[in-house]
Amino acid sequence: MSNCYHCGLPVPKNLNLFVTINGESQPMCCMGCQAVAQAIIDANLQDFYKHRTSNAPTGKELVPEFLQKITVYDNPAIQKRFVRSEGELHEAALILEGITCAACVWLNERHLKTLPGVIDVQINYSTHRARVRWDNSQILLSEILEAVSQIGYIAHPYDAARQQEVLERERKEQLRRIGVAGVLGMQVMMISIALYAGAWYGMDAEFKTLFHWVNLILTLPIIFYAATPFFKNAWRDVSHRQFGMDVPIALALSLAFIGSIYTVFNEGHVYFDSIAMFVFFLLTGRYVELQARQRSARAAESLVHLVPTMATRLHKTAEGVEEELVLVADLEIGDKLLIRPGENIPADGTILEGNSSIDESLLTGESHPITKTAGQPLIAGTVNIESPLQMQIDKIGADTVLSHILRLLERAQTEKPAITQLADKVASWFVLGVLLLALGVAIYWWNVNPELWLTITLSVLVVTCPCALSLATPTAITAATSSLTQSGLLITRGHALESLAQATHFVFDKTGTLTKGQLRLLATHTYADFNQAECLQYVVALEHHSEHPIARALLAAWEELPHIDLEVISNRSNRYLPTTAISNHPGAGLQGDIAETRYFVGTPAFITKMTELRLEPEQLKNLEKEGNTLVFLANKKSLIAAFVLGDEIRSGARELIQALLQQGKSVSLLSGDHAIAVQRVAKAVGIETISAAMTPEDKLQAVKSLQKEGEIVAMIGDGVNDAPVLAQAQVSIAMGGGTQVARASADMILLTEQLPNLLIGINTAHKTLTIIRQNVAWAIGYNALALPAAAVGLIAPWMAAIGMSFSSLLVVTNALRLTLSKTEALDSKKRQS
């Protein structure tokens, strides 16, 4: 085994790291030693190795303190707070410091995706947050964070307080740089005015030289302090063979400064005034852009602050119950908490004692408080309004409903729709095109009029910076997803808004979507030697395994049975009859064994298919005459009972359907229920195209048929049987109270379950695409007009700086109209309610 030439430690097996020192290739034990040794050679200090008396410190000893600290994030106990795990697959949200443009996002995504074990990386330029998925058996989180630091950025797990601290630090630093550029820039401009006047009226050479030197001294802090971020970012981009937005800016500043210094010692034009104004306007533009980005994401970020830092934990002692104030991060499942009026719920759980009103408005968009009593669930982030509550924790950290919503929101904001990907590709090539064009312009004017070549080249470099093009889509997408969250419509996929705006055919499920899904048992018809309570006892033994609204209705009816019914009271204490061999047939029914007899519960078609029974058409017609939902209970040879259930149509359903029809959209209703029930709902809401008694496969084929006809399908559903068709549709919306499978398959989730909010989402999607097109058109149009003007010498460098900054600000401000329109829509909705 060989030893490291730099530090003397053994070189691990299969590690091939070498540095050429004094003409010979020497082995290194780690990348740290390799980097330090290469730095020594690059500085022409190789004699260090000839004259050293001992080995150098290891590369690991020279690793920055940040890299030494990040290993703590590999601790599973620490990761529980911010990492979501599925076996070895891990997912975490990170904050990235140092992001200045779309090129930074591209560089980080490309760099991390090359690491073995990293499955996916998505970075949101507006919030500077990254969503990273990796295989923990191949790579550790600390190694991912270290990889980010190797290309000049800093990454750490997302924490709301820390991100606010980073943003505040960034804001103050920008203000300081703006202050320096502004104060010194004013002095430079005053002296420059004197120089311009002297050029017109005449000025002594010694005064002209003096003013040039004063301007040079005043410009030094602007270049070497205020403009430092541009040079750092440009160097980082170039060193990684990437042409970011700051490359032409840094090149323009360098050329202007070097040219001005040359003029101080010779004759010609100085550009100190242009440098000062350029830096000042560019910094001011980026500061306003930072504030606008924070505002566009504010509604979504407000969800992060819903969970409190501290909570009151209850302990039973010999003297009674003691209260203990603890960190929310230290809570565990099963802990009992006291929630006082006005306090936020720290974790998901169940009420043990008390009753109060709970405000869920920030989480779901529901404007009215909801009254909750013992036994009902509480969601982390909601607010207790009236009375003290005692609760028991069921879920903590990344497993809570709020954390799930935040993960979906992060995924939506970090995934890039097609139009965003196209803009990023165009912007990355555009910078290279600008540099080549500037070179051509410089060569042309050097031959035509050498006195103007630098001025015109500077104007071309500055005026064509594609910042506006890169900001055109991410600012609009972030503003739209953030504002829709306020109205209870959660965007979970990046393409959802674009697809929703382009949708031509809207397909609705019936139960739980157009209707409330809160079915109630209206009647029970018995056909065997069972009374009604016993029939219900058998059916809930099977149905309690299902999440379907029909199952919930039957379970609710079972729980409401009068206690005087002595024939079933003993079995109620055991809750449900023991069942085995449970099998679910989505969209049809359930089967299972009770006391070694197989029972079936489901639709008439399901009962006919699974048993030897043939239901009489007249019998079905009499039961279905009111359009209610029917569920039958049977065994292989005999029909036991028929349960008649009724549902209520959601408020706003008809208004939504009519609005879609007025917009020229096609609307269909696909349901697994019988025809009469489907027709009743369709008639009530105004849908003409309906299909009844459909299996999940039938629904899936129906949507595929529509897509083959060229339709862009939007599917709205809520059940397990809707999951396949939700996944098939170009854009899918799940109801917030629907099954977990349906929500996982959906691109959007209607948390409030208020259908008029879906119309807000559709209108916002249309407006988002319009604003993106406006932004892209403006960015392209601006460059198309400004570039020729700059190339022929009509635009001075300081004018180019103002134009470029104004172009970026216009794009961001235009995107913010989405948040303003959303506020107006919500205010109008509240006035109507």
Side-chain angles (χ1 to χ4, degrees):
M1 179 181 291
S2 60
N3 293 330
C4 177
Y5 187 80
H6 180 75
C7 69
L9 293 178
V11 177
K13 278 186 177 182
N14 301 322
L15 183 67
N16 297 311
L17 296 177
F18 296 90
V19 174
T20 302
I21 301 174
N22 296 322
E24 295 183 16
S25 183
Q26 303 293 353
M28 299 289 155
C29 68
C30 66
M31 295 183 69
C33 285
Q34 183 190 39
V36 174
Q38 190 62 55
I40 292 173
I41 300 305
D42 292 343
N44 292 320
L45 299 174
Q46 52 265 33
D47 285 346
F48 161 80
Y49 291 104
K50 292 181 180 179
H51 304 297
R52 62 178 177 175
T53 57
S54 62
N55 289 326
T58 68
K60 294 179 181 178
E61 293 173 5
L62 300 176
V63 173
E65 184 182 1
F66 165 76
L67 297 182
Q68 295 175 3
K69 288 182 177 180
I70 59 177
T71 55
V72 71
Y73 295 127
D74 295 331
N75 188 326
I78 300 295
Q79 287 191 357
K80 281 198 305 185
R81 303 179 184 180
F82 63 90
V83 174
R84 181 170 173 263
S85 303
E86 294 178 4
E88 290 296 336
L89 295 182
H90 287 37
E91 181 178 316
L94 306 177
I95 305 174
L96 288 181
E97 297 184 37
I99 298 291
T100 59
C101 67
C104 300
V105 172
W106 178 88
L107 176 61
N108 277 276
E109 287 182 346
R110 188 180 70 167
H111 178 63
L112 291 181
K113 285 179 180 178
T114 61
L115 301 177
V118 173
I119 299 170
D120 187 37
V121 181
Q122 298 285 346
I123 300 173
N124 182 358
Y125 172 66
S126 295
T127 60
H128 294 180
R129 282 164 66 178
R131 183 174 61 89
V132 182
R133 296 184 71 237
W134 72 95
D135 185 341
N136 208 55
S137 64
Q138 298 185 48
I139 190 170
L140 299 177
L141 178 58
S142 61
E143 294 173 324
I144 295 175
L145 301 180
E146 183 176 354
V148 173
S149 70
Q150 289 173 352
I151 57 173
Y153 300 85
I154 296 177
H156 45 77
Y158 174 74
D159 175 79
R162 185 165 183 179
Q163 185 182 40
Q164 191 60 39
E165 180 185 330
V166 169
L167 291 174
E168 187 64 19
R169 185 171 67 245
E170 183 181 351
R171 187 185 69 84
K172 289 180 179 179
E173 182 64 25
Q174 286 194 4
L175 283 176
R176 281 194 291 268
R177 295 184 191 278
I178 291 172
V180 170
V183 171
L184 297 181
M186 284 189 290
Q187 313 309 313
V188 171
M189 288 304 300
M190 290 172 59
I191 295 173
S192 296
I193 290 173
L195 286 170
Y196 291 137
W200 183 264
Y201 295 106
M203 177 180 287
D204 292 340
E206 57 268 23
F207 282 109
K208 183 178 180 181
T209 302
L210 174 63
F211 286 162
H212 282 170
W213 275 101
V214 172
N215 266 357
L216 172 59
I217 294 171
L218 291 172
T219 307
L220 287 174
I222 297 176
I223 283 288
F224 292 105
Y225 172 68
T228 300
F230 306 128
F231 292 106
K232 284 184 176 179
N233 296 336
W235 174 250
R236 182 174 57 204
D237 290 340
V238 171
S239 64
H240 291 93
R241 300 178 183 179
Q242 167 69 18
F243 296 101
M245 308 300 170
D246 287 333
V247 172
I249 294 173
L251 183 58
L253 289 173
S254 300
L255 287 174
F257 188 64
I258 294 171
S260 298
I261 292 177
Y262 175 84
T263 301
V264 170
F265 294 98
N266 298 278
E267 290 295 325
H269 186 73
V270 293
Y271 301 95
F272 295 124
D273 55 338
S274 295
I275 292 172
M277 292 190 68
F278 183 27
V279 173
F280 175 73
F281 283 122
L282 193 58
L283 288 174
T284 302
R286 290 200 174 178
Y287 176 77
V288 176
E289 177 198 322
L290 172 68
Q291 297 298 101
R293 282 194 290 105
Q294 292 180 27
R295 179 178 173 183
S296 71
R298 191 169 297 158
E301 291 297 315
S302 64
L303 293 177
V304 180
H305 301 281
L306 293 179
V307 177
T309 306
M310 308 295 290
T312 304
R313 185 161 57 190
L314 300 177
H315 284 292
K316 282 189 177 182
T317 64
E319 300 175 356
V321 178
E322 289 186 356
E323 299 179 5
E324 177 189 10
L325 196 62
V326 297
L327 289 170
V328 170
D330 294 332
L331 294 176
E332 296 180 356
I333 294 175
D335 284 350
K336 295 178 175 57
L337 305 179
L338 173 64
I339 312 297
R340 296 183 175 86
E343 291 184 345
N344 287 50
I345 311 299
D348 289 0
T350 306
I351 299 176
L352 296 176
E353 294 182 20
N355 59 80
S356 183
S357 295
I358 305 298
D359 182 3
E360 299 181 349
S361 57
L362 282 177
L363 195 61
T364 67
E366 176 59 58
S367 57
H368 301 293
I370 301 171
T371 301
K372 295 198 174 186
T373 59
Q376 291 188 295
L378 292 174
I379 302 174
T382 56
V383 183
N384 180 24
I385 296 178
E386 296 171 345
S387 307
L389 294 173
Q390 290 187 22
M391 66 171 288
Q392 178 172 297
I393 295 178
D394 298 331
K395 296 179 181 178
I396 58 174
D399 295 327
T400 63
V401 171
L402 177 59
S403 295
H404 179 66
I405 290 174
L406 288 171
R407 283 195 299 272
L408 294 175
L409 192 58
E410 287 166 9
R411 183 177 69 183
Q413 292 187 338
T414 53
E415 286 182 346
K416 294 180 175 65
I419 192 169
T420 305
Q421 295 174 12
L422 177 61
D424 287 348
K425 288 180 181 178
V426 171
S428 62
W429 285 104
F430 189 85
V431 174
L432 180 59
V434 167
L435 295 176
L436 294 175
L437 182 63
L439 177 61
V441 169
I443 293 172
Y444 173 81
W445 283 102
W446 177 265
N447 292 302
V448 174
N449 189 342
E451 293 182 359
L452 296 177
W453 82 270
L454 184 55
T455 301
I456 293 175
T457 302
L458 293 177
S459 297
V460 170
L461 284 171
V462 173
V463 80
T464 54
C465 182
C467 296
L469 188 60
S470 292
L471 290 170
T473 51
T475 49
I477 294 293
T478 301
T481 54
S482 178
S483 58
L484 283 178
T485 303
Q486 286 183 293
S487 58
L489 186 60
L490 181 67
I491 311 297
T492 68
R493 291 288 183 182
H495 70 86
L497 282 171
E498 187 177 2
S499 301
L500 184 62
Q502 297 170 347
T504 59
H505 198 117
F506 285 77
V507 177
F508 288 86
D509 176 47
K510 181 181 75 70
T511 305
T513 303
L514 290 176
T515 65
K516 288 185 175 180
Q518 297 172 350
L519 294 171
R520 54 194 179 90
L521 182 61
L522 302 179
T524 302
H525 300 274
T526 61
Y527 301 99
D529 191 20
F530 287 84
N531 61 33
Q532 293 185 1
E534 289 172 328
C535 291
L536 195 56
Q537 183 183 25
Y538 272 74
V539 79
V540 298
L542 299 171
E543 289 284 8
H544 83 272
H545 296 281
S546 172
E547 292 185 78
H548 196 277
I550 290 176
R552 291 199 291 264
L554 292 170
L555 288 168
W558 164 250
E559 295 294 338
E560 292 170 3
L561 278 178
H563 288 269
I564 57 172
D565 195 334
L566 298 180
E567 292 188 57
V568 297
I569 192 70
S570 60
N571 283 316
R572 277 181 62 114
S573 62
N574 295 326
R575 199 163 182 83
Y576 307 116
L577 291 174
T579 57
T580 57
I582 292 293
S583 178
N584 184 18
H585 300 260
L590 287 163
Q591 69 180 55
D593 295 343
I594 303 175
E596 299 182 356
T597 301
R598 177 147 298 183
Y599 290 88
F600 304 89
V601 55
T603 63
F606 176 71
I607 296 299
T608 301
K609 176 182 177 182
M610 304 301 292
T611 69
E612 301 173 3
L613 303 175
R614 293 296 176 265
L615 301 177
E616 296 296 333
E618 190 65 28
Q619 179 187 23
L620 293 175
K621 186 176 180 180
N622 291 333
L623 292 172
E624 295 172 349
K625 61 184 178 182
E626 296 180 5
N628 293 310
T629 298
L630 290 179
V631 175
F632 287 89
L633 173 67
N635 56 34
K636 273 286 186 181
K637 296 183 178 181
S638 60
L639 181 65
I640 298 172
F643 302 93
V644 182
L645 300 99
D647 198 359
E648 183 180 348
I649 295 174
R650 290 186 186 275
S651 61
R654 184 175 182 83
E655 290 76 7
L656 170 63
I657 301 302
Q658 295 307 308
L660 290 174
L661 294 174
Q662 289 174 6
Q663 290 181 6
K665 311 293 185 183
S666 301
V667 181
S668 298
L669 173 58
L670 306 182
S671 177
D673 215 340
H674 61 81
I676 297 177
V678 176
Q679 288 169 359
R680 180 176 65 88
V681 173
K683 183 178 180 180
V685 299
I687 297 178
E688 296 182 358
T689 306
I690 65 172
S691 296
M694 301 189 77
T695 65
E697 291 77 13
D698 294 335
K699 292 183 180 181
L700 188 61
Q701 290 304 318
V703 168
K704 286 182 177 179
S705 298
L706 290 172
Q707 291 171 331
K708 286 180 181 179
E709 295 171 5
E711 300 279 12
I712 299 176
V713 178
M715 175 68 195
I716 302 93
D718 80 314
V720 172
N721 57 323
D722 294 323
V725 72
L726 286 170
Q728 175 65 32
Q730 279 95 337
V731 60
S732 52
I733 301 101
M735 306 302 288
T739 63
Q740 186 173 354
V741 175
R743 295 196 300 269
S745 303
D747 303 316
M748 309 171 77
I749 300 176
L750 190 58
L751 295 173
T752 59
E753 300 195 352
Q754 296 175 5
L755 289 176
N757 285 2
L758 180 56
L759 187 59
I760 294 177
I762 295 169
N763 294 335
T764 300
H766 284 291
K767 191 167 186 179
T768 301
L769 278 195
T770 299
I771 285 178
I772 288 175
R773 293 190 185 104
Q774 290 172 350
N775 286 349
V776 172
W778 163 257
I780 294 175
Y782 161 77
N783 281 286
L785 294 174
L787 182 56
V792 299
L794 298 179
I795 298 178
W798 65 269
M799 295 171 61
I802 295 175
M804 192 268 288
S805 299
F806 174 76
S807 177
S808 299
L809 290 178
L810 184 65
V811 163
V812 175
T813 304
N814 192 35
L816 284 177
R817 292 195 297 122
L818 289 165
T819 61
L820 296 176
S821 64
K822 184 55 55 205
T823 302
E824 293 170 359
L826 289 174
D827 290 343
S828 173
K829 181 182 169 187
K830 289 178 181 177
R831 286 194 297 270
Q832 291 174 2
S833 61

